[in-house]
Amino acid sequence: SGDVEAPLASSSSSTAAAEHEPIFVEITENDFFDEIDRSIAKLGAYTNARLEELNRDLMQLTTNVEHGWDTEEERVSFEEMAKAIGERFLSLESFINIQYTALYKILKKHDKYLPATPIYQFYRKRMYQQHWVQGDYSRMFVKLSAIHSTLRGDKAGVQDKGASQGFVRSTKKYWVKAEDVSSVKLA
């Protein structure tokens, strides 16, 4: 026998109807703009905090690797830390790209449905000026690359005394999708 309880009957039919009616709140266009501004600021604060954590962890790892290691287990531990920092950076970059795309789509929809007050160009320029979009993260990749190189025991390139650069350079070119550039740099 299934123990299914029947819902309690309401003493007032208007109370029951009010419980199931959706609640609509009047939102002005200024409220919408304020929310976009808050979202951009919140995203910037979150991203800056994660970047500070990554830089702090990278500096600590750099110091540890520069002091050397006593055992193979310690070297492997440093290598795993370097990989984890790189993966966290890629995850943050993916998060930033998703948030930027989401805001972009929201702004485009706004302009499509409310053409009298276009905001896409204004906020697009504003988003593009944010640190989390403009940031140059190549130093982080260079540091991670140097750490991986040290941990692998890589040797310097072959010197060519007659060349203007002092070493022999070997270059391979690949076509890489824009969203995969950081992954390739990290690899």
Side-chain angles (χ1 to χ4, degrees):
S1 76
D3 290 26
V4 178
E5 294 181 353
L8 297 174
S10 175
S11 60
S12 165
S13 61
S14 64
T15 304
E19 289 176 11
H20 299 289
E21 288 181 21
I23 299 172
F24 292 101
V25 178
E26 184 72 27
I27 298 175
T28 67
E29 199 160 27
N30 284 336
D31 293 335
F32 176 75
F33 298 153
D34 290 343
E35 188 60 34
I36 294 290
D37 290 336
R38 276 192 297 275
S39 294
I40 290 172
K42 186 176 173 183
L43 181 57
Y46 174 83
T47 302
N48 289 337
R50 300 296 80 74
L51 286 171
E52 286 176 17
E53 289 172 8
L54 285 168
N55 280 319
R56 189 173 47 249
D57 293 349
L58 185 58
M59 295 299 284
Q60 181 63 48
L61 181 59
T62 301
T63 301
N64 291 344
V65 169
E66 287 172 353
H67 285 101
W69 52 91
D70 298 325
T71 64
E72 178 63 15
E73 290 82 21
E74 196 173 8
R75 186 195 68 75
V76 169
S77 173
F78 290 157
E79 200 169 66
E80 289 172 359
M81 286 181 208
K83 286 179 184 175
I85 290 170
E87 288 170 1
R88 285 173 36 214
F89 178 80
L90 291 177
S91 177
L92 179 61
E93 182 186 51
S94 177
F95 172 79
I96 291 168
N97 289 339
I98 289 169
Q99 298 304 312
Y100 182 86
T101 301
L103 278 169
Y104 168 83
K105 289 183 177 190
I106 289 168
L107 297 172
K108 290 293 277 187
K109 286 283 185 186
H110 174 278
D111 285 4
K112 179 180 178 181
Y113 291 111
L114 298 170
T117 55
I119 61 170
Y120 169 74
Q121 289 298 330
F122 171 77
Y123 278 107
R124 183 172 155 249
K125 288 177 186 172
R126 192 147 169 233
M127 285 191 310
Y128 191 73
Q129 293 169 348
Q130 298 298 311
H131 176 72
W132 46 271
V133 174
Q134 284 289 333
D136 178 15
Y137 307 110
S138 60
R139 278 180 271 148
M140 185 175 292
F141 285 112
V142 170
K143 287 180 184 178
L144 277 172
S145 178
I147 288 171
H148 282 293
S149 180
T150 301
L151 292 171
R152 285 190 307 259
D154 293 346
K155 304 294 179 215
V158 179
Q159 284 194 331
D160 183 359
K161 302 283 186 201
S164 63
Q165 291 182 323
F167 63 92
V168 176
R169 181 179 299 247
S170 174
T171 304
K172 292 182 182 177
K173 295 186 178 187
Y174 299 94
W175 288 103
V176 179
K177 291 183 194 175
E179 65 264 16
D180 295 331
V181 168
S182 292
S183 299
V184 171
K185 284 182 179 179
L186 189 63

